[in-house]
Amino acid sequence: MHRMFHTTTRRRQTSLEGMWDFVADPQDVGLSEGWYSDYPMNSLPMWVPGVWNTTRELLNYEGPAWFRTRIATEDCMAAVLHFAAVTHQANVWLDGDPLGDHYGGFLPFHFLIPSPEPGTHELIVRVDNTHDMTTTVPSAYLDWFRYGGIPRPVWLDELSGPGYIAALRLTPVVTHGKAVLRVRAELMNLSNNVLDDIWTLYLDGEEVRSERVRIESGDVQVLLFAVDVEDVQLWSPKTPRLYRARLAFAGDDCIERTGFREIRTDGTRLLLNGEPLRIAGVNRHEDHPDWGFALPPHLMLRDLELVRDLGANSIRGSHYPNDQRMLDLCDERGILFMEEIPLWGFKAEQLRLEMINCRTSAMLWAMIERDSSHPCIWAWSVLNECATDTPEGRAAVEQLVETARDADPTRPVTFASNRNLQDICFDLVDVVCVNAYYGWYWHDMTWSEFLEAMRAKVGNKPLLVTEFGAGAIYGWHALEPGVVWSEEHQQQLLMDALTAFTERSDLGFYIWQFFDTRTDRGARALQRPRNYNNKGLLDEYRRPKLSYYAVRRLLTGKEQPET
Ligand code: ADA
């Protein structure tokens, strides 16, 4: 399932999860040799959704690769082929004909296939995970692994028509306890005749709005409206009340889920439903040694159980739009989420490039379009550790913040800086986020001095330390203090930071990071033993280090279990 709930009652939905055929194309000859209609014989089996890097001989493969599967359609008016994510460039053919392409490794896309012939069809996808310094987002400079593949679900919807709901976007808004659901939908007429029919929106099974529309053959009608939700039950971490919205139109329907809560800033504070909210969170990559970033839902759930056990109330989905099922689970469990686009570590000269600007704005728009219904998302983050101490950085932040506010005026917008006291963009955002590694990379100030200086710079705005941490190799111990990579030293540095944070009432935080993650072998390989970023509270198999228990004690008062 591509979500944690059923998304339709009308469409015939087929998951394309399974073993697909796979051929790597290191010489990049597939396009000129026409592999889209003449697929090579020497294929390997490859699990979808998955990344090819979990196949031993392909661990470090970067470049184009070709996937193939077969899909079966019955008699229908149209079919829609959905990809929840392909990393990073996808070109898609059906029976040798191009369906289209998409760039952006963490966001969904789909193709409408009008009146497909009943029977079996050959689906071929060319995937390219090449990273470079001038056109791709993320770039080739990274501190996570360059996985490639089709890491999230692929599925086919068959439509009986004549109506097709081509898009449904919900934005829940609460102001002073009054709830409104903003709806944007696209209705299409698939038939050859004029369609004169009624659409209806249901909330938790009750009809809340219905209207007649008249749509010419092949045309699309955009619906844009808001409905008041009376006697709303608010979503909160303690009572994560969700509502089910169903839009029905002329033989089609779409189901989405949402929750109503108010999130706003008030001076240095964040308020959730009018109550002060203190973020105590963890940074989490989508990563596991056996799955890369194609985590199956039961592992997402397990991670969330550990977040809960730790006593954290939020996840920063560093550093890209997460699988939507993870957000569904956070909605259900009342875990807040900060979501980000993968604009990571870009320098001024890269931020000047037209291609980068276009791609990042498109990603930000698409992320918000996909996720505005999720009550767990409390902030959009537009970048991480870019040159926000330069005019190019400022121009990029200006453009991205404007895009985010246009796409969703209801949530705070932020970015994560490591330019900190030199940053020139904090006035552009609602919440200031800084990454700082005192005691690990940095030694020029104490935490208290840094936080004091940051507060003076930022003034009357919420301030979060979105990253801080230290590395430790799981199971590596030292009696003496200060031994780098020991669990004891990591614990000491994290506690030093958290003690300084808890002395202040005006600060939220996200620990870097929840568990160890496989990382790039590039520039920083010598600072990354095992080719892992070892700053996890847990190791990559989610085995706890001393820091896990120390943070848990601080956040929940719970002691380390006796073994
Ligand atoms: C940065 C970056 C993280 C990670 C971290 C580290 O702050 O945002 O992705 O690379 O540093 O471990 O050094």
Side-chain angles (χ1 to χ4, degrees):
M1 272 196 19
H2 59 281
R3 299 291 297 273
M4 299 313 293
F5 54 89
H6 290 286
T7 54
T8 182
T9 65
R10 293 301 189 87
R11 304 177 180 185
R12 198 172 97 94
Q13 207 161 66
T14 314
S15 160
L16 299 181
E17 172 174 306
M19 278 302 177
W20 291 34
D21 299 322
F22 173 89
V23 183
D25 183 11
Q27 310 306 326
D28 200 7
V29 295
L31 280 173
S32 58
E33 293 184 2
W35 290 4
Y36 43 84
S37 55
D38 188 11
Y39 193 78
M41 303 292 283
N42 58 333
S43 63
L44 301 171
M46 185 67 67
W47 186 255
V48 171
V51 293
W52 61 63
N53 318 74
T54 52
T55 310
R56 250 179 84 210
E57 59 273 31
L58 293 169
L59 174 66
N60 292 306
Y61 180 68
E62 179 168 332
W66 295 71
F67 287 76
R68 176 178 66 172
T69 193
R70 292 201 165 74
I71 58 178
T73 53
E74 287 180 7
D75 207 11
C76 63
M77 206 168 245
V80 190
L81 179 64
H82 296 267
F83 292 84
V86 173
T87 313
H88 292 268
Q89 170 72 38
N91 293 68
V92 185
W93 292 263
L94 192 70
D95 298 330
D97 294 328
L99 277 183
D101 51 67
H102 179 263
Y103 179 79
F106 305 96
L107 287 161
F109 54 96
H110 63 263
F111 303 109
L112 181 68
I113 309 164
S115 6
E117 279 287 307
T120 304
H121 304 272
E122 184 185 56
L123 173 65
I124 292 183
V125 187
R126 177 182 183 274
V127 180
D128 191 346
N129 73 331
T130 303
H131 294 68
D132 67 32
M133 296 304 283
T134 51
T135 68
T136 67
V137 184
S139 76
Y141 170 65
L142 274 184
D143 191 11
W144 70 85
F145 201 74
R146 304 182 190 194
Y147 294 112
I150 306 182
R152 295 185 191 158
V154 188
W155 71 101
L156 188 78
D157 282 340
E158 285 169 89
L159 310 170
S160 55
Y164 165 43
I165 302 171
L168 172 61
R169 179 181 164 193
L170 307 179
T171 311
V173 193
V174 182
T175 358
H176 308 302
K178 189 173 152 5
V180 171
L181 183 62
R182 291 190 193 152
V183 182
R184 186 188 180 283
E186 289 169 27
L187 307 183
M188 187 174 178
N189 176 3
L190 295 172
S191 75
N192 294 327
N193 309 312
V194 172
L195 178 58
D196 192 335
D197 211 331
I198 287 171
W199 59 261
T200 309
L201 180 74
Y202 301 88
L203 201 57
D204 272 2
E206 277 193 27
E207 183 178 321
V208 290
R209 180 71 75 88
S210 186
E211 247 166 55
R212 178 167 288 281
V213 281
R214 192 186 143 83
I215 311 177
E216 298 295 323
S217 167
D219 272 6
V220 173
Q221 168 117 6
V222 176
L223 306 181
L224 208 50
F225 62 93
V227 285
D228 292 341
V229 183
E230 305 298 338
D231 303 322
V232 71
Q233 289 175 277
L234 294 180
W235 181 98
S236 74
K238 281 211 178 89
T239 53
R241 168 73 160 92
L242 296 173
Y243 285 79
R244 177 178 182 268
R246 184 168 87 91
L247 182 66
F249 171 61
D252 192 21
D253 73 353
C254 272
I255 298 167
E256 186 47 277
R257 229 173 39 176
T258 195
F260 296 88
R261 82 283 171 283
E262 185 184 30
I263 176 89
R264 66 186 168 90
T265 64
D266 174 37
T268 62
R269 300 188 305 172
L270 285 173
L271 299 181
L272 178 70
N273 297 333
E275 301 288 322
L277 165 69
R278 184 150 192 197
I279 296 285
V282 286
N283 282 277
R284 176 181 174 276
H285 268 293
E286 294 182 305
D287 198 49
H288 186 281
D290 302 334
W291 298 89
F293 55 37
L295 291 195
H298 68 279
L299 290 185
M300 296 177 196
L301 187 56
R302 204 160 162 253
D303 282 353
L304 274 180
E305 281 164 2
L306 288 168
V307 168
R308 218 343 105 64
D309 178 66
L310 182 71
N313 61 11
S314 183
I315 293 173
R316 173 169 172 241
S318 45
H319 294 288
Y320 34 77
N322 273 214
D323 190 312
Q324 232 186 327
R325 292 172 297 182
M326 183 67 187
L327 302 175
D328 286 339
L329 291 170
C330 287
D331 284 345
E332 289 170 8
R333 276 157 188 76
I335 305 276
L336 292 155
F337 201 94
M338 175 189 281
E339 201 170 36
E340 191 161 276
I341 55 166
L343 185 57
W344 186 98
F346 277 61
K347 297 190 170 62
E349 60 269 27
Q350 294 170 291
L351 295 173
R352 243 182 261 140
L353 301 169
E354 188 58 23
M355 177 72 133
I356 299 298
N357 288 326
C358 290
R359 286 188 157 172
T360 49
S361 297
M363 279 179 192
L364 184 60
W365 187 274
M367 173 175 86
I368 296 175
E369 181 80 11
R370 189 193 72 165
D371 290 336
S372 62
S373 62
H374 290 284
C376 68
I377 295 186
W378 74 271
W380 305 117
S381 167
V382 302
L383 58 81
N384 177 72
E385 298 194 355
C386 294
T388 48
D389 52 348
T390 65
E392 288 84 350
R394 191 168 167 90
V397 174
E398 265 169 358
Q399 179 191 321
L400 291 169
V401 168
E402 195 183 320
T403 304
R405 290 202 176 122
D406 275 357
D408 176 13
T410 74
R411 285 173 173 91
V413 180
T414 188
F415 67 90
S417 174
N418 65 345
R419 305 312 204 252
N420 305 352
L421 293 163
Q422 276 71 49
D423 202 294
I424 57 166
C425 300
F426 292 146
D427 59 310
L428 300 173
V429 289
D430 305 306
V431 174
V432 172
C433 290
V434 290
N435 298 348
Y437 285 86
Y438 288 99
W440 184 252
Y441 298 127
W442 304 348
H443 305 276
D444 58 320
M445 282 190 204
T446 64
W447 272 111
S448 303
E449 287 164 349
F450 171 68
L451 296 173
E452 206 47 50
M454 274 312 304
R455 173 50 73 206
K457 179 175 167 77
V458 166
N460 202 22
K461 276 189 185 185
L463 174 64
L464 272 85
V465 179
T466 28
E467 287 185 32
F468 65 102
I473 309 288
Y474 174 77
W476 179 249
H477 291 282
L479 265 181
E480 307 77 14
V483 177
V484 176
W485 304 118
S486 69
E487 289 196 23
E488 286 77 4
H489 186 51
Q490 180 194 39
Q491 171 178 331
Q492 185 60 52
L493 293 191
L494 280 176
M495 287 304 115
D496 289 350
L498 287 165
T499 308
F501 298 174
T502 42
E503 274 165 9
R504 308 186 66 102
S505 58
D506 61 344
L507 201 75
F509 62 84
Y510 286 99
I511 297 168
W512 186 269
Q513 60 174 338
F514 193 35
F515 45 79
D516 294 347
T517 49
R518 198 194 294 277
T519 188
D520 191 43
R521 295 178 311 155
R524 289 202 271 184
L526 293 179
Q527 296 173 359
R528 299 286 180 266
R530 316 182 301 128
N531 288 148
Y532 265 76
N533 185 313
N534 295 293
K535 298 190 189 74
L537 301 176
L538 306 159
D539 80 349
E540 62 274 25
Y541 288 106
R542 287 42 167 179
R543 294 177 296 187
K545 303 181 195 171
L546 289 177
S547 300
Y548 179 85
Y549 293 115
V551 172
R552 189 169 83 143
R553 209 174 303 124
L554 189 96
L555 296 180
T556 68
K558 278 193 256 171
E559 280 306 316
Q560 178 172 343
E562 296 290 328
T563 45

